[in-house]
Amino acid sequence: MSAWGAGSRVSVTSSAQLNIDSTQNDPVGGDISLDGNAILIKTHEAIYYWDASRSHDYIALLQQPGDKVPYIHEHQGESVCWDATDSGYYTLGEGKNEPLYHYVRV
């Protein structure tokens, strides 16, 4: 069993310079799909996608340019996650009564 989800502490020691465009102190959020085959990284202005189906070397993948995917700008939008079936992703801005957006994966 891997340390992920096993109740064990996991130390992340690698770091990467992301190949994204940003004018702010980004990224602010990210997620790896349940099957491990896709990565989302969120900045204040955009969401970037990487296809990891050929390699789960995430650090190497993040050195390559990501593809921008649909995103409706949110006030203090700092979260992104895959849905439970990896068929789309959610975003949510900080604050009271903020809308939860769902984007269908194409």
Side-chain angles (χ1 to χ4, degrees), residues 28-49:
V28 294
D31 197 19
I32 298 173
S33 62
L34 186 60
D35 64 9
N37 290 333
I39 303 168
L40 292 172
I41 298 288
K42 185 174 181 326
T43 69
H44 285 98
E45 294 109 7
I47 298 175
Y48 295 87
Y49 165 85

Side-chain angles (χ1 to χ4, degrees), residues 16-30 39-50 58-69 80:
Q17 292 289 334
L18 298 177
N19 197 339
I20 58 176
D21 293 323
S22 178
T23 61
Q24 301 196 25
N25 189 17
D26 289 315
V28 294
I39 303 168
L40 292 172
I41 298 288
K42 185 174 181 326
T43 69
H44 285 98
E45 294 109 7
I47 298 175
Y48 295 87
Y49 165 85
W50 286 265
Y58 303 122
I59 299 297
L61 282 171
L62 293 173
Q63 303 303 300
Q64 305 302 315
D67 295 321
K68 283 187 179 180
V69 293
V80 64

